[in-house]
């Protein structure tokens, strides 16, 4: 999940927005190109909000910074990689393009955070030294992100042919529903597995912060009872925590995305 946020951050960044759904399969590519980054931004914003407010992870006062370095910058990088792939005529290789975007987006967001630290961060660490440390750690995290992204996209293309963008196959009427089930299952598996890691080990940002003795983020909001720190404090089942997180993220993302999807549907009508 990963690209991390400033403040007390541990949760994995969850599955990136890679697929556009349409039961009739063919949509205007220009409209889809404009819509997907905005849908991705809404999805990532929903996840970041939930991690901070529900699981007490990330720091409530750092929400703006976290959205910038974990959503805005990485999505911009993904859009750039996609544009380059289109210009090179290789955009049909959706999994490769998505994997490269995932690898590059994580350190890009990290470097944006280092730039913010250089401008006004607390501490006396040399920005160049921090950039080198953060980039090395987050390149490894980016590789993990790429494996997850390619794996999830491959699963969608296998179980729901023709639904993922740039999948030229014609989809069936049930393909969008199968894609939703596939994405939900993948999100539950990865969120549960990675939450176990996130609850017990420092992430990339935390490891660098500990190495340089940087001040930690705020704990103004500790999360909901039984769910704080992904249930680690109260001993809540990680499977239950993962299920709640996936359901809450799905509902919040749907609510945030509904107006945009309605506008896109009206534009195609």
């Amino acid at each position: 999940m990963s690209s991390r946020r400033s403040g007390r951050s541990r949760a994995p960044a969850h599955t990136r927005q890679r697929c556009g759904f349409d039961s009739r399969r063919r949509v205007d590519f220009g409209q889809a190109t404009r819509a997907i980054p905005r849908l991705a931004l809404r999805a990532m914003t929903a996840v970041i909000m939930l991690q901070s407010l529900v699981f007490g992870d990330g720091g409530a006062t750092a929400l703006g910074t976290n959205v910038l370095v974990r959503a805005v910058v990485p999505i911009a990088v993904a859009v750039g990689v996609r544009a380059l792939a289109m210009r090179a005529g290789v955009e049909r290789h959706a999994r490769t393009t998505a994997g490269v975007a995932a690898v590059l987006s994580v350190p890009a967001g990290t470097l944006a955070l280092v730039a913010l630290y250089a401008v006004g961060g607390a501490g006396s660490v040399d920005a160049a030294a921090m950039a080198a440390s953060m980039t090395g750690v987050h390149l490894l995290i980016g590789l993990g992100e790429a494996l997850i992204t390619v794996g999830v996209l491959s699963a969608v293309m296998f179980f729901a042919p023709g639904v993922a963008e740039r999948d030229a196959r014609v989809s069936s009427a049930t393909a969008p529903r199968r894609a939703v089930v596939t994405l939900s299952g993948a999100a539950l598996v990865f969120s549960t597995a990675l939450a176990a890691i996130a609850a017990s080990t420092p992430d990339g940002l935390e490891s660098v912060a500990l190495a340089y003795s940087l001040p930690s983020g705020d704990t103004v909001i500790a999360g909901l009872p039984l769910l704080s720190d992904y249930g680690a404090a109260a001993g809540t089942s990680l499977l239950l925590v993962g299920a709640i997180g996936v359901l809450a993220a799905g509902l919040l993302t749907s609510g945030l995305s509904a107006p945009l999807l309605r506008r896109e549907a009206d534009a195609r009508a």
Side-chain angles (χ1 to χ4, degrees):
M1 174 114 353
S2 40
S3 172
R4 301 298 194 226
R5 53 248 159 261
S6 59
R8 194 185 67 81
S9 65
R10 280 191 234 170
H14 296 292
T15 310
R16 299 279 193 262
Q17 181 77 22
R18 300 293 181 205
C19 304
F21 298 112
D22 183 73
S23 60
R24 299 176 67 180
R25 178 64 190 104
R26 294 298 102 194
V27 300
D28 178 79
F29 183 67
Q31 291 177 343
T33 301
R34 292 189 295 271
I36 288 174
R38 287 178 284 173
L39 290 172
L41 182 59
R42 284 163 171 77
M44 284 303 302
T45 300
V47 170
I48 293 167
M49 290 173 59
L50 287 171
Q51 288 178 332
S52 175
L53 304 179
V54 176
F55 299 110
D57 185 6
T61 59
L63 274 174
T65 299
N66 289 332
V67 170
L68 174 64
V69 301
R70 293 186 59 215
V72 175
V73 172
I75 290 169
V77 171
V79 170
V81 170
R82 182 183 181 193
L84 289 175
M86 291 175 64
R87 179 169 295 184
V90 296
E91 72 274 11
R92 65 184 181 279
H93 302 295
R95 281 169 285 199
T96 301
T97 302
V100 171
V103 170
L104 297 179
S105 65
V106 177
T110 297
L111 290 176
L113 178 60
V114 173
L116 293 176
Y117 170 81
V119 172
S124 57
V125 180
D126 178 68
M130 175 178 282
S133 298
M134 293 278 277
T135 300
V137 171
H138 285 83
L139 273 175
L140 295 176
I141 294 173
L143 290 173
E145 290 269 3
L147 291 175
I148 293 172
T149 299
V150 172
V152 172
L153 182 55
S154 297
V156 170
M157 295 175 73
F158 179 80
F159 290 107
V163 171
E165 189 193 11
R166 310 309 298 171
D167 184 350
R169 294 171 294 180
V170 177
S171 66
S172 65
T174 61
R177 289 193 292 273
R178 283 187 275 124
V180 170
V181 172
T182 301
L183 285 171
S184 300
L188 182 59
V189 170
F190 285 119
S191 64
T192 302
L194 295 178
I197 299 173
S200 59
T201 59
D203 65 13
L205 175 59
E206 284 183 327
S207 63
V208 174
L210 290 172
Y212 287 107
S213 299
L214 293 173
S216 60
D218 70 85
T219 53
V220 174
I221 298 179
L224 297 181
L226 303 181
L227 297 179
S228 179
D229 204 10
Y230 305 99
T236 307
S237 165
L238 283 175
L239 182 61
L240 177 60
V241 171
I244 292 173
V246 169
L247 179 61
L251 292 174
L252 184 55
T253 300
S254 297
L256 292 173
S257 302
L260 174 61
L261 293 175
R262 282 196 294 269
R263 287 196 297 271
E264 292 296 328
D266 292 341
R268 292 195 298 269

